């Protein structure tokens, strides 16, 4: 792989991540401004500011550490009320006193950042539906990006599929349980080789059944038994009809995904079926737009399972990074890992990895990344967007119950009380980020050996 191509892949990954973060924050910014909330900052990244420009009342900028972004809305917490019922009693535990002190300090600091005349323009002053719209706007942008990328992948680039074009022809019949290096000495010739089928032939029909996909070919071959059947192939633009006599043999049973089924002891599940002795080529086939919802759902559900199982997967990452365990290629990776993979893809020179394959890998990475951002930000914990959404939903429920009971409006939910939890969550995220950073450096996931 060339250094220039590798660097280009890394740059593409960084730009893709940066654009995803920027659009996520725009998803918060636009509805916040539309609802009159005063937004003082729109920043991509964290740490020292590299560049910024003020437009109106908002400062737009880029910071040094590209691990996220934020918009700063005034009044994220409701102002502190001098309410005796909300004070911590003198005999309260030290822990509760510390939590109350942290909450009061956060609200006081938050209130000091804006003029009291702007109190009506705070996030806390919004109605519950508007709070939800502002906070869900960011994850929704990531979902839309993911849907667009998956649509481009499915309908533009194409999805990888086995095609009915013959990739290779077996010279003999080798039993399923034979060693990988088993030779052909003493074994019968494979039917396809005996009939003259060659690599590059495209199967058009088998035993009168039209062949559109490799699944069609597999079904027709297995159902033919040991009868002599006509097989029509396209060879260099010319149709040829060959007479083929499949043999009945013990063949692997495939599941719905085309994978070989195995028993609990690892042995292959077999069935008596027709055998021809050809293997398919792989290629990219453009799908109908009607296939996109199913692809989006599979990506979403797979990401949800990944997030739910994240603690166990992080343990696996730690064992791989600090021990001798193999890194799971389907496990979580960090920003460095994504960038390295993008670099490998762009610089790859492996057989079969052409421009279309590279586009598929890069677009699928960006689509999966944005789906992960969508799902992860819906987790109902501060400081994630889902934590603020959960606070708004609790606020709406409290107000609804108060109306039913004829009680006064309880006011906005004070999410500052959840700051201790938010700090713990932040520390967990920091540890997770550092672990993935270390693992991506010392034990990276690789697409190619």
């Amino acid at each position: 792989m060339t250094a220039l191509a590798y660097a280009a892949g890394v740059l593409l990954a960084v730009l893709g991540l940066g654009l995803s973060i920027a659009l996520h924050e725009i998803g918060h910014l636009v509805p916040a401004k539309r609802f009159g909330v005063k937004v003082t900052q729109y920043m991509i990244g964290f740490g020292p500011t590299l560049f910024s420009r003020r437009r109106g009342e908002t400062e737009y900028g880029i910071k040094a550490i590209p691990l996220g972004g934020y918009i700063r809305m005034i009044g994220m917490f409701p102002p502190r009320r001098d309410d005796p019922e909300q004070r911590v009693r003198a005999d309260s535990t030290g822990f509760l006193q510390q939590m109350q002190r942290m909450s009061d300090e956060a609200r006081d600091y938050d209130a000091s950042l804006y003029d009291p005349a702007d109190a009506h323009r705070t996030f806390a002053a919004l109605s519950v539906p508007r709070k939800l719209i502002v906070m869900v706007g960011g994850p929704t942008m990531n979902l839309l990006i993911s849907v667009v990328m998956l649509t481009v992948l499915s309908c533009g680039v194409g999805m990888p599929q086995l095609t009915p074009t013959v990739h290779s022809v077996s010279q003999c019949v080798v039993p399923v349980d034979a060693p990988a290096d088993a030779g052909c000495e003493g074994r019968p010739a494979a039917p396809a080789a005996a009939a003259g089928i060659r690599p590059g032939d495209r199967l058009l029909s088998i035993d009168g059944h039209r062949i559109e996909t490799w699944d069609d070919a597999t079904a027709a071959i297995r159902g033919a038994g040991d009868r002599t059947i006509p097989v029509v192939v396209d060879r260099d633009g010319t149709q040829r009809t060959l007479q083929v006599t499949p043999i009945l043999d013990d063949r692997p049973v495939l599941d719905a995904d085309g994978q070989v089924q195995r028993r609990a002891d690892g042995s292959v599940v077999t069935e008596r079926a027709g055998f021809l002795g050809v293997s398919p080529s792989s290629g990219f086939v453009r799908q109908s737009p009607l296939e996109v919802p199913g692809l989006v759902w599979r990506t979403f559900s797979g990401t949800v399972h990944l997030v739910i199982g994240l603690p166990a997967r992080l343990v696996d990452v730690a064992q791989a990074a600090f021990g001798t365990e193999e890194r799971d290629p389907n496990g979580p990776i960090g920003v460095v890992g994504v960038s390295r993979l993008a670099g490998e893809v762009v610089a790859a020179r492996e057989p079969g990895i052409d421009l279309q394959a590279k586009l598929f890998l890069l677009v699928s990475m960006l689509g999966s990344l944005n789906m992960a951002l969508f799902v992860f930000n819906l987790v109902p914990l501060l400081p994630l967007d889902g934590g603020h959404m959960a606070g708004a939903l609790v606020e709406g429920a409290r107000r609804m119950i108060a109306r039913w009971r004829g009680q006064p409006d309880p006011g906005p939910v004070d999410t500052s009380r959840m700051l201790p939890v938010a700090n713990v969550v932040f520390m967990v995220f920091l540890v997770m980020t550092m672990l993935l950073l270390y693992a991506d450096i010392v034990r990276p996931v690789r697409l190619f050996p």
Side-chain angles (χ1 to χ4, degrees):
M1 59 179 66
T2 65
L4 185 60
Y6 187 90
V10 172
L11 180 61
L12 283 174
V14 172
L15 291 176
L17 177 62
L19 181 62
S20 299
I21 294 172
L23 291 175
H24 174 101
E25 298 307 328
I26 286 177
H28 294 309
L29 178 72
V30 172
K33 283 182 169 288
R34 176 67 181 81
F35 296 146
V37 178
K38 184 175 182 178
V39 181
T40 59
Q41 283 189 318
Y42 168 93
M43 290 291 171
I44 306 303
F46 299 102
T49 301
L50 300 178
F51 166 83
S52 70
R53 176 173 295 179
R54 179 170 294 279
R55 298 214 172 178
E57 61 188 14
T58 306
E59 178 189 11
Y60 300 86
I62 299 175
K63 291 183 173 287
I65 306 175
L67 294 178
Y70 66 91
I71 66 167
R72 189 181 298 281
M73 297 179 284
I74 67 170
M76 289 299 295
F77 306 129
R80 184 151 63 104
R81 294 183 297 175
D82 190 17
D83 188 346
E85 294 183 1
Q86 294 189 6
R87 294 175 182 168
V88 178
R89 301 192 311 271
D91 60 347
S92 297
T93 65
F95 176 72
L96 289 178
Q97 288 177 335
Q98 289 296 327
M99 288 184 62
Q100 182 65 60
R101 186 176 298 112
M102 183 182 296
S103 173
D104 290 343
E105 289 175 353
R107 285 185 292 172
D108 289 343
Y109 174 75
D110 192 40
S112 70
L113 298 178
Y114 61 91
D115 191 286
D118 288 329
H120 66 289
R121 299 187 61 195
T122 63
F123 175 79
L126 290 177
S127 64
V128 169
R130 291 188 171 188
K131 285 181 180 177
L132 289 173
I133 292 173
V134 170
M135 297 317 300
V136 82
T140 299
M141 288 298 288
N142 292 124
L143 176 61
L144 291 176
I145 296 171
S146 182
V147 170
V148 170
M149 291 297 100
L150 294 175
T151 302
V152 170
L153 201 66
S154 179
C155 304
V157 179
M159 299 298 292
Q161 287 186 1
L162 298 178
T163 67
T165 298
V166 177
H167 177 261
S168 62
V169 178
S170 301
Q171 296 304 306
C172 62
V173 181
V174 179
V176 173
D177 55 357
D181 57 352
C184 284
E185 186 177 354
R187 303 185 190 280
I197 294 178
R198 300 176 185 175
D201 288 350
R202 181 176 181 82
L203 303 176
L204 300 179
S205 71
I206 298 176
D207 196 19
H209 300 285
R210 186 177 178 182
I211 304 303
E212 297 285 350
T213 66
W214 181 249
D215 289 339
D216 296 338
T218 300
I221 293 168
R222 294 195 171 210
D226 56 359
R227 297 180 295 107
T228 299
I229 58 174
V231 175
V232 181
V233 302
D234 182 313
R235 180 179 300 168
D236 299 327
T238 303
Q239 290 190 13
R240 297 172 181 264
T241 300
L242 306 174
Q243 298 299 318
V244 183
T245 306
I247 65 170
L248 283 175
D249 191 33
D250 292 327
R251 307 313 302 166
V253 176
L254 306 179
D255 60 20
D257 296 323
Q259 301 298 314
V260 175
Q261 295 187 20
R262 295 183 179 274
R263 300 183 181 89
D265 61 1
S267 60
V268 177
V269 179
T270 62
E271 64 179 355
R272 200 74 172 164
F275 171 69
L276 193 61
V278 293
S279 62
S281 298
S282 59
F284 292 89
V285 179
R286 292 183 177 89
Q287 308 288 319
S288 162
L290 298 177
E291 300 293 329
V292 173
L295 178 59
V296 171
W297 173 252
R298 290 192 296 274
T299 304
F300 169 74
S301 57
T303 305
V304 169
H305 283 100
L306 178 64
V307 171
I308 292 174
L310 191 58
R313 290 176 178 268
L314 288 175
V315 171
D316 294 339
V317 172
Q319 290 175 342
F322 300 103
T324 59
E325 299 288 334
E326 290 294 327
R327 184 88 181 264
D328 182 3
N330 296 316
I333 59 175
V335 175
V336 172
V338 171
S339 301
R340 292 185 69 155
L341 289 177
E344 285 188 21
V345 169
V346 174
R349 293 182 176 178
E350 279 72 8
I353 306 299
D354 56 10
L355 179 60
Q356 192 173 20
K358 292 180 180 183
L359 281 174
F360 173 83
L361 291 170
L362 290 173
V363 174
S364 63
M365 268 190 229
L366 186 57
S368 298
L369 173 66
N370 276 277
M371 185 62 78
L373 290 173
F374 168 68
V375 173
F376 200 71
N377 273 286
L378 293 183
V379 175
L381 292 173
L382 290 176
L384 297 173
D385 297 333
H388 293 286
M389 286 184 250
L393 290 173
V394 171
E395 178 182 325
R398 287 177 53 191
R399 285 177 164 167
M400 186 178 298
I401 292 172
R403 284 196 300 269
W404 287 346
R405 293 180 175 179
Q407 297 174 343
D409 185 347
V413 166
D414 184 9
T415 52
S416 69
R417 295 178 180 273
M418 296 302 296
L419 282 177
V421 175
N423 290 336
V424 171
V425 172
F426 175 78
M427 291 305 299
V428 170
F429 288 166
L430 181 61
V431 170
M432 179 181 72
T433 301
M434 297 306 295
L435 171 61
L436 291 175
L437 174 64
Y438 179 77
D440 288 341
I441 294 173
V442 303
R443 191 67 67 85
V445 174
R446 297 187 184 279
L447 289 176
F448 313 108

